[in-house]
Amino acid sequence: MGLSSIAYDLGSGLNGPMSISHLSSPRQQLAFSAKSCSRACITVRAADGNSGSMRAPPSTVRASKLVTNAVAVKSETASIAATKSGHELLLFEALREGLEEEMERDPRVCVLGEDVGHYGGSYKVTKGLAEKFGDLRVLDTPIAENSFTGMAVGAAMTGLRPIVEGMNMGFLLLAYNQISNNCGMLHYTSGGQFTIPVVIRGPGGVGRQLGAEHSQRLESYFQSVPGLQMVACSTPYNAKGLMKAAIRSENPVILCEHVLLYNLKERIPDEEYVCCLERAELVRPGKDVTILTYSRMRHHVLQAAKSLINKGYDPEIIDIISLKPFDLHTIGNSIKKTHKVLIVEECMRTGGIGASLRASIMDNFWDYLDAPIMCLSSQDVPTPYAGTLEEATVVQPPQIVKAIKQLCG
Amino acid sequence: MWRGFTLQQFANQCYGNEYDLGKGRQMPVHYGSNELNYLTVSSPIATQVPQAVGAAYGLKMDKKDACAVTYFGDGGTSEGDFHAGMNFAAVLGAPVLFICRNNGWAISTPTSEQFRSDGVAIKGQAYGVRSIRVDGNDALAVYFAVKNARKMAVEEFRPILIEALTYRVGHHSTSDDSSKYRSVDEIEYWRTRRDPVARLRMFLQSNRWWDDENEDLLRQDLRTQMMSVLHNAESKKKPGLSNLFEDVYDVIPQNLKEQEQETQAIVGKYPKDYPSDVPLD
């Protein structure tokens, strides 16, 4: 059976040094390895709670080896060395693998975007696909986001399953009219006659000095649009699983990737699996406080967690994955246990995912809260180009540690 | 109508009753039918242009003996989506017909204030799209233009732009009074002397395939039919409250279920403050 594992502890040395150089400064990496932590392994567990064996929930059994609703859970024992099955790859390769498998499985799946053909995409997510599936199925488009998004809507309504790649999520703002007015609405306004099974994906978030226009966090702008589903991937495992799930979904899905996570390495199962679009991921169980996060901030939270664990805190870390709709079931169960919530996001403070999530939590779990919900977000400023200023706009691990100390005492 | 969408279905859509295929969710004349390959109309202008290219992309991939067709007005050719869609169709070699009804007016904006190009046909040429300009008030000319355009699109895998020149005699909508921005004489001239239906009728009558008596009978019959379908549509029930929350997604999610329950509770508790002809379920 394949196990997926991410080694967060350099000290274990079992998988060698982790390719997370994009995530942290050399100074932080050093701090990493100095602390040894036995909770270094993430195993894949079926949603029915049995660890160590991969059993698909009965309601969603497909091929005999397909695991759906799989949730990555950190286990107490490090058992990376126990098995060498599965294969290691980088996040962008995981996306590509998912995409390729779905294109093989269903001839209606096609990709549209700028430079996705023989160039392979700006982040190489579609590398090799044009050679394999032809220029029509992996279509290079002129520079007109509203055009090819509109095309995808029209193609979806007439039977294809297109995937739209925005070279950067920020460019998809040009397609906002098609996405909001048509993509999200036409299933409803046509009385259910037409479905729009499109996937709109691309890298977003704050990168390394890409400038304000290339550092947009589009999840805030899309979260209000009725009819859309939105997910954010954060590891190679969930990237592949979410890509496959999004393609198979009958609803329009926005898959938010992060520009700095493409080179994240992980060992993922050889057998086919699909993640659940509406399910949050329990990254680390705990009992002191619930930390809700997604995308790149998950990794900042995990870094901060090392420090917190050493100081004796026991945080429960949940990667919310599903940005629209929120997985209030998983989130609620956690809050009922810990009674304190910290949200760590990369969105701006005003109108971001955190703002929405806070409202949702208050509406539903007010009675279970012992303290006001804390939320760490980026400031309401365009992202500056200067590296030092840019770093100050993104929530960093020391901020997270401080917030937990404040929240938990 | 030629494809089989009945007058009654049109009326049902306008009234948004329970027989409307769109389930009362779109405004009048925003109809659609999956069965008849007619994509539901959406309000933003020119967004249908790239969508038609997308549909043609699918047809090309499946190598079908078919093309996509999309309609828009002179005003629509100013929208970004029009240019993007045309360009793309040309590059892709998509079998799509772009039919522009250039009727001289976009609400109160005449074409002289919409663009300074030589009409719309030249815009097609700029993108490498073969374009046809035709007298939109000549039914036979339009028929032949479109027929030939379709042949080219399907056999040669290329987009074709058709600019049909005509004049908007009516107001833009029921909330418009066009005499405010154009002379009544102009409207009257086009209505009486350049009416396309009258023109076709005179052609038919001159060939003795039609006469005044037939005309009167047809008009009476159609009028009766219209009154009947409208009356019929008006009397039907409206869609129930649950239709407000369905089809947003393929399966109704939890948050929408909760919102539905809340709405049902409020409407059930204060029925006098809500329309009486909407069933709660």
Side-chain angles (χ1 to χ4, degrees), chain B residues 59-77:
Chain B
L59 295 173
K60 182 169 177 167
M61 225 198 263
D62 295 337
K63 299 194 175 59
K64 286 214 176 114
D65 174 24
C67 68
V69 60
T70 183
Y71 301 83
F72 44 90
D74 38 289
T77 66

Side-chain angles (χ1 to χ4, degrees), chain A residues 6-17:
Chain A
I6 300 179
Y8 277 102
D9 178 16
L10 296 177
S12 74
L14 289 166
N15 274 354

Side-chain angles (χ1 to χ4, degrees), chain B residues 3-19:
Chain B
R3 289 189 181 197
F5 204 66
T6 63
L7 272 180
Q8 186 64 65
Q9 281 178 304
F10 274 110
N12 288 338
Q13 196 279 324
C14 284
Y15 275 97
N17 61 31
E18 62 176 346
Y19 291 98

